[in-house]
mmCIF file of all heavy atoms in Angstrom:
data_model
loop_
_atom_site.group_PDB
_atom_site.id
_atom_site.type_symbol
_atom_site.label_atom_id
_atom_site.label_comp_id
_atom_site.label_asym_id
_atom_site.label_seq_id
_atom_site.Cartn_x
_atom_site.Cartn_y
_atom_site.Cartn_z
ATOM 1 N N LEU Q 140 6.419 -23.557 -11.377
ATOM 2 C CA LEU Q 140 6.149 -22.274 -12.077
ATOM 3 C C LEU Q 140 6.634 -22.292 -13.423
ATOM 4 O O LEU Q 140 7.835 -22.470 -13.597
ATOM 5 C CB LEU Q 140 6.738 -21.135 -11.247
ATOM 6 C CG LEU Q 140 6.366 -21.020 -9.750
ATOM 7 C CD1 LEU Q 140 7.114 -19.870 -9.106
ATOM 8 C CD2 LEU Q 140 4.759 -20.676 -9.696
ATOM 9 N N GLY Q 141 5.818 -22.184 -14.438
ATOM 10 C CA GLY Q 141 6.221 -22.088 -15.827
ATOM 11 C C GLY Q 141 6.594 -20.754 -16.235
ATOM 12 O O GLY Q 141 5.693 -19.859 -15.974
ATOM 13 N N LEU Q 142 7.658 -20.496 -16.726
ATOM 14 C CA LEU Q 142 8.174 -19.099 -17.086
ATOM 15 C C LEU Q 142 7.935 -18.876 -18.573
ATOM 16 O O LEU Q 142 8.064 -19.774 -19.360
ATOM 17 C CB LEU Q 142 9.605 -18.894 -16.644
ATOM 18 C CG LEU Q 142 9.977 -19.225 -15.203
ATOM 19 C CD1 LEU Q 142 11.402 -18.769 -14.998
ATOM 20 C CD2 LEU Q 142 9.075 -18.574 -14.229
ATOM 21 N N ALA Q 143 7.929 -17.624 -18.994
ATOM 22 C CA ALA Q 143 7.889 -17.307 -20.381
ATOM 23 C C ALA Q 143 9.340 -17.716 -20.947
ATOM 24 O O ALA Q 143 10.284 -17.469 -20.394
ATOM 25 C CB ALA Q 143 7.744 -15.704 -20.540
ATOM 26 N N GLY Q 144 9.202 -18.386 -22.118
ATOM 27 C CA GLY Q 144 10.427 -18.943 -22.552
ATOM 28 C C GLY Q 144 10.640 -20.389 -22.362
ATOM 29 O O GLY Q 144 11.490 -20.974 -22.888
ATOM 30 N N GLY Q 145 9.770 -20.975 -21.490
ATOM 31 C CA GLY Q 145 9.772 -22.463 -21.405
ATOM 32 C C GLY Q 145 10.486 -22.964 -20.089
ATOM 33 O O GLY Q 145 10.339 -24.137 -19.821
ATOM 34 N N GLU Q 146 11.171 -22.108 -19.387
ATOM 35 C CA GLU Q 146 11.922 -22.650 -18.215
ATOM 36 C C GLU Q 146 10.830 -22.902 -17.110
ATOM 37 O O GLU Q 146 9.769 -22.277 -16.968
ATOM 38 C CB GLU Q 146 12.856 -21.520 -17.715
ATOM 39 C CG GLU Q 146 13.664 -21.969 -16.479
ATOM 40 C CD GLU Q 146 14.528 -20.886 -15.902
ATOM 41 O OE1 GLU Q 146 14.624 -19.842 -16.621
ATOM 42 O OE2 GLU Q 146 15.025 -21.005 -14.822
ATOM 43 N N GLU Q 147 11.293 -23.814 -16.198
ATOM 44 C CA GLU Q 147 10.387 -24.142 -15.013
ATOM 45 C C GLU Q 147 11.165 -23.915 -13.776
ATOM 46 O O GLU Q 147 12.374 -24.233 -13.645
ATOM 47 C CB GLU Q 147 9.981 -25.599 -15.064
ATOM 48 C CG GLU Q 147 9.044 -26.020 -13.963
ATOM 49 C CD GLU Q 147 8.554 -27.466 -14.181
ATOM 50 O OE1 GLU Q 147 9.348 -28.291 -13.641
ATOM 51 O OE2 GLU Q 147 7.578 -27.814 -14.735
ATOM 52 N N VAL Q 148 10.532 -23.250 -12.808
ATOM 53 C CA VAL Q 148 11.006 -23.081 -11.432
ATOM 54 C C VAL Q 148 10.234 -23.948 -10.514
ATOM 55 O O VAL Q 148 9.001 -23.850 -10.495
ATOM 56 C CB VAL Q 148 11.094 -21.636 -11.044
ATOM 57 C CG1 VAL Q 148 11.418 -21.433 -9.632
ATOM 58 C CG2 VAL Q 148 12.085 -20.775 -11.908
ATOM 59 N N ARG Q 149 10.882 -24.756 -9.683
ATOM 60 C CA ARG Q 149 10.201 -25.530 -8.780
ATOM 61 C C ARG Q 149 10.491 -25.099 -7.314
ATOM 62 O O ARG Q 149 11.610 -24.789 -7.014
ATOM 63 C CB ARG Q 149 10.604 -27.012 -8.856
ATOM 64 C CG ARG Q 149 10.366 -27.525 -10.345
ATOM 65 C CD ARG Q 149 10.530 -29.025 -10.402
ATOM 66 N NE ARG Q 149 11.816 -29.468 -9.992
ATOM 67 C CZ ARG Q 149 12.086 -30.711 -9.634
ATOM 68 N NH1 ARG Q 149 11.147 -31.650 -9.632
ATOM 69 N NH2 ARG Q 149 13.320 -31.115 -9.358
ATOM 70 N N ALA Q 150 9.488 -25.160 -6.501
ATOM 71 C CA ALA Q 150 9.660 -24.751 -5.060
ATOM 72 C C ALA Q 150 8.697 -25.505 -4.234
ATOM 73 O O ALA Q 150 7.541 -25.968 -4.601
ATOM 74 C CB ALA Q 150 9.424 -23.268 -4.856
ATOM 75 N N ARG Q 151 9.076 -25.705 -2.971
ATOM 76 C CA ARG Q 151 8.209 -26.289 -1.955
ATOM 77 C C ARG Q 151 7.011 -25.422 -1.532
ATOM 78 O O ARG Q 151 5.913 -25.940 -1.265
ATOM 79 C CB ARG Q 151 9.021 -26.706 -0.719
ATOM 80 C CG ARG Q 151 10.073 -27.837 -1.042
ATOM 81 C CD ARG Q 151 10.886 -28.147 0.205
ATOM 82 N NE ARG Q 151 11.772 -29.262 -0.140
ATOM 83 C CZ ARG Q 151 13.050 -29.090 -0.700
ATOM 84 N NH1 ARG Q 151 13.490 -27.820 -0.792
ATOM 85 N NH2 ARG Q 151 13.799 -30.060 -1.053
ATOM 86 N N VAL Q 152 7.294 -24.057 -1.576
ATOM 87 C CA VAL Q 152 6.219 -23.061 -1.249
ATOM 88 C C VAL Q 152 6.372 -21.938 -2.162
ATOM 89 O O VAL Q 152 7.540 -21.531 -2.447
ATOM 90 C CB VAL Q 152 6.334 -22.642 0.223
ATOM 91 C CG1 VAL Q 152 5.228 -21.546 0.469
ATOM 92 C CG2 VAL Q 152 6.160 -23.784 1.205
ATOM 93 N N VAL Q 153 5.299 -21.387 -2.635
ATOM 94 C CA VAL Q 153 5.315 -20.138 -3.485
ATOM 95 C C VAL Q 153 4.476 -19.082 -2.776
ATOM 96 O O VAL Q 153 3.404 -19.315 -2.166
ATOM 97 C CB VAL Q 153 4.664 -20.442 -4.912
ATOM 98 C CG1 VAL Q 153 4.385 -19.104 -5.582
ATOM 99 C CG2 VAL Q 153 5.624 -21.329 -5.668
ATOM 100 N N ILE Q 154 5.115 -17.908 -2.852
ATOM 101 C CA ILE Q 154 4.388 -16.705 -2.305
ATOM 102 C C ILE Q 154 4.096 -15.789 -3.498
ATOM 103 O O ILE Q 154 4.994 -15.370 -4.184
ATOM 104 C CB ILE Q 154 5.243 -15.938 -1.258
ATOM 105 C CG1 ILE Q 154 5.547 -16.906 -0.010
ATOM 106 C CG2 ILE Q 154 4.539 -14.677 -0.800
ATOM 107 C CD1 ILE Q 154 6.505 -16.327 0.939
ATOM 108 N N GLY Q 155 2.844 -15.491 -3.654
ATOM 109 C CA GLY Q 155 2.419 -14.586 -4.763
ATOM 110 C C GLY Q 155 2.429 -13.180 -4.236
ATOM 111 O O GLY Q 155 1.706 -12.837 -3.259
ATOM 112 N N ALA Q 156 3.181 -12.285 -4.933
ATOM 113 C CA ALA Q 156 3.231 -10.936 -4.621
ATOM 114 C C ALA Q 156 3.214 -10.033 -5.941
ATOM 115 O O ALA Q 156 3.957 -9.084 -5.946
ATOM 116 C CB ALA Q 156 4.411 -10.572 -3.663
ATOM 117 N N ASP Q 157 2.516 -10.505 -6.804
ATOM 118 C CA ASP Q 157 2.569 -9.896 -8.180
ATOM 119 C C ASP Q 157 1.335 -9.068 -8.517
ATOM 120 O O ASP Q 157 1.058 -8.824 -9.698
ATOM 121 C CB ASP Q 157 2.635 -10.986 -9.225
ATOM 122 C CG ASP Q 157 1.592 -12.079 -9.144
ATOM 123 O OD1 ASP Q 157 1.056 -12.272 -7.982
ATOM 124 O OD2 ASP Q 157 1.410 -12.889 -10.105
ATOM 125 N N GLY Q 158 0.716 -8.561 -7.370
ATOM 126 C CA GLY Q 158 -0.450 -7.555 -7.651
ATOM 127 C C GLY Q 158 -1.717 -8.195 -7.686
ATOM 128 O O GLY Q 158 -1.954 -9.492 -7.928
ATOM 129 N N SER Q 159 -2.760 -7.385 -7.608
ATOM 130 C CA SER Q 159 -4.144 -7.878 -7.553
ATOM 131 C C SER Q 159 -4.629 -8.532 -8.884
ATOM 132 O O SER Q 159 -5.511 -9.316 -8.959
ATOM 133 C CB SER Q 159 -5.119 -6.876 -7.169
ATOM 134 O OG SER Q 159 -5.097 -5.726 -7.992
ATOM 135 N N ALA Q 160 -4.028 -8.104 -10.065
ATOM 136 C CA ALA Q 160 -4.352 -8.638 -11.317
ATOM 137 C C ALA Q 160 -3.436 -9.758 -11.817
ATOM 138 O O ALA Q 160 -3.369 -10.270 -12.959
ATOM 139 C CB ALA Q 160 -4.372 -7.576 -12.350
#
Side-chain angles (χ1 to χ4, degrees):
L140 301 175
L142 309 185
E146 182 186 351
E147 183 179 84
V148 171
R149 303 192 301 162
R151 294 180 178 86
V152 180
V153 166
I154 298 172
D157 51 339
S159 59

